[in-house]
Amino acid sequence: MSTSDQATSVLLQEKRVFNPKPAKQLGFDRWHIDSLEQYKALHEASVRDPESFWREEAKRLDWFEPFHTVCQWEAPDAKWFLGGRTNACYNCVDRHVQAGHGEQVAIIWEGEPVAPRTGHPASSSAYAKEPEIRRLTYRELQLEVSRCASTLKALGVKKGDVVTIYMPMIPELAIAMLACVRIGAAHSVIFGGFAPHAITERAIDAHSKVIITADGGYRRGDIVPLQKNVEESVTQLANHGHIINHVLVVKRTGHQPPSERFKTGASHIGATKFHWWHETVGASGDACPCESMDSEDMLFLLYTSGSTGKPKGIVHTTAGYLAFVQMTARLTFNLFPDSGQVFWCSADIGWITGHSYVLYGLLMNRVPTLMYEGAPNFPTMEGGKGDRFWEIIARHRVTHFYTAPTAIRTFMKWGDELPAKHDMSCLKVLGTVGEPINPEAWMWYHKHIGREVCPIVDTYWQTETGGHICTPIPGAIPTKPGSCTVPMLGIDAAIVNEQGEELGANKGGLFVIRKPWPSMLRGVFGNRERFISNYFGRLKDPATGQPLYFSADGARRDEDGYFWVQGRVDDVIKVSGHLLGTMEVESALVSHPFVAEAAVVGYPHEVKGNAICAFVTLRGTWYAKNPGKQPSDELRKELIAHVRKEVGALAQPDQVRFTEGLPKTRSGKIMRRLLRDVAAGVEKITQDTTTLEDFSVVAKLRQDDE
Ligand code: WTA
């Protein structure tokens, strides 16, 4: 593990410690947990007697019927709050209206365009001063969600169905998700940056028959053609014999001359009917009760990349997810209702961060959540810079800002003067998520955004964990730049070796969780084997023989018990904070007619954290067509465009290298470690290459490098 050893030596030099400040200094009445001692006592009790701890925590939810058993654990299967019945939408919306908070703001939304909203905003010279802003109260949200829910019912959606959602960051996205869970259907949200093929494979896997989308979404002044992608996917799906019954379309951009298919006024593709949201939602009435759900009924599916080509549908269930997410949102961010807090998580709802900390965690805690539709650099300044995020913070008096290290590194590059122009004295807590944050970025965030007073919570967690696993709790935990510090209450985390033995201080090892927690994944949809082998198949607790949950991250714990996550130890890469399976990109590349073989690796990138390098061998057909020629830049561009089209822009390789062969072991496995070194431009071959089938291949690649 040469890369993590390097990381360790860098991090070991990181000795800075930032102690919690008094609550009043940050304008809080109090901290939920206000000392390290209190945290330690609470954490110790929560792990020693999880039943009592979670029984208390679950009381913060409203139940239709109480649960009789807190947890049943037959590794790897956990059931939480057995016998209980509740509803996620009820806990996020209805109960607040019933308690007299109907007029409070639930969602604040800001659209991207600052130009007249017709035509193409980027090409308009006459910018309006103010963007479009919407504020939805809990009462309005309840009405909108109920309308959408009864429409979904009218379209045949039933309890237990999976509804696919592929939308921009607009309020209707939140409404659609809540509408699903209101009637007991699970949502499967697909990030709007994915290509049609991604919708197709996820819809097939989830047996989904209904898709909710929008005509388009705004992104850096461009329009993302969401409906067009859905149309393409619907056709692909039909070719697989999978018929989507209905597509519900929000008119957001209004840019579309109706695509060819709809020119004649038809509203269907084959057997798939398309409906405009504004013509359909509301037509089936305003009322729709919340379905009573068993604690363990599926709440949602969220697909995440794995080390094989096919993404995994991570299953989360109702009560456990809600209990954990309301708690972590409250403690990690010191949330209080009725105290002027405005929370902004800049993640797209299409990722788990958006599910838990744009939507569910915030609504449950009755703290207004801000959604922003677009890019941080729109309007775009010279050099591609932008200060939209700082403008938004100042405009809405945001108290909590939660973003990704990759974004912070971009802001650093854009310069200190951009945030300095805006009054961000409203900020109280800053958060980061998605990848390890390098200490320099942490310090920049602390100084230029946090005024050197706001605590920074570096939250380590995963799609599979549902909510924060390790994070500082502001007010209680001293922070160290680059460390996600200590485990959340109720989380029994450890660093172990391959034998499952816990390692001592500062020894690099594998990150595991020993006990179940309420929001742990319940499975990989339709794939029991993958669930077990991915998460519970590798490591066992030597003391009990019980399987350990393995996060697939390498990490170490320092002498203070602080965790330092070093990154993935499997074949997935974090690119700009988004997980990507190397196999996904490889499959896309080899689907190109000229590509024979492809190997994809990550290499360190200043802003993205990791970037993608693809090593590609070409088929004879290419050489036959281009006698005597070397693969050109043009072909390189074509392959990059091909990956964008097949997977999405976030999977686009930064480097494409042509090679005559790939270095393989004698058993035929591609030697990725070697390729990673080549991609990163490492000078000398430091790895053990004795098992190389064809060393000349590596030598050739290195030469090309020079
Ligand atoms: C990485 C995102 C270091 C880690 C919530 C994990 C982090 C993967 C951090 C999950 C952090 C997330 N420090 N690494 N604070 N947060 N990671 O499923 O590798 O998109 O396994 O969930 O992101 O990514 P996912």
Side-chain angles (χ1 to χ4, degrees):
M1 281 175 60
S2 73
T3 43
S4 62
D5 289 348
Q6 281 162 14
T8 308
S9 64
V10 173
L11 291 174
L12 280 175
Q13 291 159 19
E14 183 51 63
K15 290 286 181 214
R16 285 169 289 203
V17 177
F18 295 82
N19 287 315
K21 303 229 171 355
K24 296 270 186 265
Q25 192 179 336
L26 282 147
F28 287 115
D29 281 345
R30 63 183 177 91
W31 298 114
H32 281 295
I33 302 178
D34 69 3
S35 70
L36 189 55
E37 292 65 40
Q38 193 190 0
Y39 159 80
K40 281 185 175 160
L42 284 167
H43 184 263
E44 193 272 326
S46 73
V47 174
R48 181 173 28 84
D49 180 8
E51 296 241 331
S52 309
F53 178 78
W54 290 114
R55 182 175 292 116
E56 279 310 300
E57 206 46 61
K59 285 186 185 158
R60 294 176 184 269
L61 299 180
D62 276 29
W63 296 86
F64 299 162
E65 278 173 43
F67 54 91
H68 53 70
T69 306
V70 175
C71 177
Q72 184 183 305
W73 172 233
E74 282 164 32
D77 296 303
K79 289 192 174 132
W80 283 87
F81 310 118
L82 288 87
R85 300 194 76 84
T86 184
N87 179 287
C89 184
Y90 186 82
N91 276 283
C92 287
V93 184
D94 297 66
R95 66 164 168 171
H96 302 319
V97 178
Q98 267 164 31
H101 306 299
E103 307 320 314
Q104 282 184 8
V105 173
I107 297 176
I108 304 168
W109 172 80
E110 179 164 320
E112 187 190 81
V114 281
R117 268 167 286 280
T118 51
H120 195 292
S123 64
S124 168
S125 52
Y127 283 121
K129 282 279 175 284
E130 291 295 325
E132 189 183 355
I133 291 168
R134 278 175 70 186
R135 288 188 180 80
L136 277 124
T137 64
Y138 283 98
R139 190 182 304 285
E140 288 163 342
L141 190 57
Q142 186 186 38
L143 179 64
E144 297 290 328
V145 169
S146 302
R147 282 178 172 159
C148 180
S150 57
T151 300
L152 291 177
K153 272 191 177 170
L155 295 179
V157 177
K158 290 188 300 296
K159 186 173 172 175
D161 288 353
V162 179
V163 174
T164 296
I165 299 181
Y166 180 70
M167 288 173 83
M169 284 286 282
I170 55 178
E172 286 79 2
L173 167 53
I175 292 165
M177 291 165 78
L178 292 166
C180 289
V181 302
R182 190 173 187 87
I183 62 170
H187 48 73
S188 163
V189 183
I190 302 173
F191 172 58
F194 279 120
H197 176 70
I199 311 173
T200 304
E201 66 178 351
R202 286 160 174 77
I204 291 176
D205 190 77
H207 310 295
S208 185
K209 303 295 239 174
V210 170
I211 301 179
I212 309 178
T213 187
D215 52 352
Y218 291 107
R219 184 79 200 173
R220 203 174 301 122
D222 282 333
I223 288 172
V224 185
L226 297 167
Q227 183 181 345
K228 195 170 145 277
N229 290 347
V230 170
E231 288 172 17
E232 218 173 301
S233 166
V234 160
T235 308
Q236 290 173 3
L237 281 159
N239 293 340
H240 281 92
H242 183 115
I243 304 299
I244 297 293
N245 295 329
H246 300 283
V247 180
L248 188 57
V249 188
V250 177
K251 192 177 214 167
R252 166 64 188 135
T253 49
H255 69 290
Q256 295 225 95
S259 65
E260 281 306 316
R261 293 184 176 104
F262 296 114
K263 273 214 172 116
T264 52
S267 57
H268 60 89
I269 296 175
T272 307
K273 296 190 193 68
F274 282 66
H275 314 263
W276 282 118
W277 174 295
H278 60 270
E279 289 173 359
T280 320
V281 171
S284 331
D286 290 352
C288 182
C290 290
E291 190 74 37
S292 167
M293 303 298 285
D294 185 273
S295 290
E296 280 299 330
D297 277 337
M298 180 156 76
L299 180 63
F300 63 81
L301 267 184
L302 185 56
Y303 283 84
T304 185
S305 295
S307 35
T308 70
K310 250 183 89 186
K312 303 173 275 193
I314 302 301
V315 178
H316 281 289
T317 57
T318 305
Y321 174 82
L322 296 178
F324 192 77
V325 169
Q326 64 78 25
M327 179 187 83
T328 50
R330 184 177 83 251
L331 298 182
T332 303
F333 300 110
N334 205 47
L335 297 185
F336 289 94
D338 308 312
S339 61
Q341 296 183 343
V342 176
F343 186 96
W344 182 25
C345 164
S346 72
D348 192 283
I349 285 189
W351 309 108
I352 190 69
T353 305
H355 280 56
S356 300
Y357 305 106
V358 174
L359 198 63
Y360 291 109
L362 276 292
L363 294 182
M364 276 189 285
N365 278 290
R366 200 158 48 80
V367 167
T369 180
L370 190 142
M371 282 173 79
Y372 167 56
E373 180 180 32
N377 53 350
F378 190 82
T380 313
M381 301 170 164
E382 217 186 314
K385 300 176 190 177
D387 63 351
R388 185 67 179 273
F389 275 22
W390 319 133
E391 197 180 299
I392 290 173
I393 289 172
R395 174 163 37 242
H396 299 281
R397 306 312 291 159
V398 170
T399 51
H400 295 70
F401 179 54
Y402 189 29
T403 196
T406 183
I408 297 169
R409 291 190 293 264
T410 305
F411 302 142
M412 284 171 77
K413 242 179 66 180
W414 288 347
D416 308 348
E417 46 312 331
L418 294 185
K421 281 199 310 202
H422 299 271
D423 172 14
M424 294 194 280
S425 55
C426 44
L427 285 173
K428 297 172 193 240
V429 176
L430 302 177
T432 84
V433 56
E435 49 180 324
I437 182 164
N438 43 312
E440 312 81 73
W442 196 102
M443 290 305 297
W444 186 88
Y445 201 29
H446 173 68
K447 184 165 175 206
H448 295 280
I449 311 301
R451 313 182 306 281
E452 298 186 347
V453 292
C454 299
I456 295 179
V457 291
D458 174 354
T459 61
Y460 166 69
W461 58 296
Q462 309 179 291
T463 306
E464 294 85 344
T465 68
H468 303 151
I469 289 302
C470 282
T471 175
I473 292 178
I477 312 292
T479 51
K480 304 183 188 184
S483 169
C484 60
T485 73
V486 294
M488 178 47 68
L489 302 189
I491 298 295
D492 184 12
I495 304 297
V496 301
N497 61 16
E498 284 289 350
Q499 287 69 48
E501 295 155 348
E502 187 158 9
L503 296 173
N506 292 317
K507 294 268 188 314
L510 309 169
F511 186 96
V512 298
I513 306 175
R514 286 185 284 224
K515 289 203 173 77
W517 67 101
S519 65
M520 68 195 291
L521 79 163
R522 298 299 194 270
V524 172
F525 195 70
N527 200 332
R528 173 105 185 137
E529 193 278 320
R530 226 176 153 191
F531 168 58
I532 297 173
S533 64
N534 263 266
Y535 303 103
F536 296 96
R538 183 154 161 193
L539 301 165
K540 277 201 167 61
D541 188 334
T544 60
Q546 287 272 310
L548 295 166
Y549 173 84
F550 174 40
S551 72
D553 283 304
R556 71 183 170 92
R557 205 169 183 179
D558 70 16
E559 53 287 351
D560 298 323
Y562 276 42
F563 286 87
W564 300 78
V565 177
Q566 279 141 12
R568 307 286 303 195
V569 297
D570 55 3
D571 284 332
V572 299
I573 321 172
K574 272 262 154 167
V575 181
S576 300
H578 301 317
L579 276 188
L580 263 184
T582 49
M583 269 274 282
E584 275 175 272
V585 186
E586 287 164 5
S587 310
L589 282 165
V590 295
S591 74
H592 189 280
F594 287 143
V595 176
E597 246 192 329
V600 163
V601 295
Y603 66 96
H605 185 280
E606 205 191 326
V607 173
K608 299 180 180 185
N610 293 290
I612 294 174
C613 176
F615 295 89
V616 170
T617 65
L618 295 175
R619 285 174 189 260
T621 44
W622 187 85
Y623 291 101
K625 273 196 180 158
N626 301 277
K629 283 200 190 139
Q630 289 299 314
S632 63
D633 235 16
E634 212 170 302
L635 180 60
R636 188 169 278 125
K637 283 191 193 127
E638 188 178 318
L639 294 184
I640 292 174
H642 183 72
V643 174
R644 283 179 74 108
K645 191 172 139 277
E646 290 298 307
V647 191
L650 60 105
Q652 157 181 328
D654 275 48
Q655 293 185 40
V656 174
R657 299 183 176 218
F658 298 106
T659 159
E660 279 164 20
L662 292 169
K664 290 184 186 165
T665 60
R666 289 193 194 283
S667 61
K669 275 186 87 175
I670 293 171
M671 301 188 76
R672 292 178 184 280
R673 282 182 312 156
L674 256 164
L675 293 177
R676 274 196 283 269
D677 271 6
V678 175
V682 173
E683 229 65 272
K684 272 185 268 143
I685 298 179
T686 50
Q687 313 271 5
D688 175 14
T689 56
T690 48
T691 49
L692 249 194
E693 187 77 274
D694 181 3
F695 190 83
S696 66
V697 170
V698 180
K700 178 79 176 33
L701 282 171
R702 299 219 175 244
Q703 244 172 36
D704 290 350
D705 222 25
E706 279 154 18

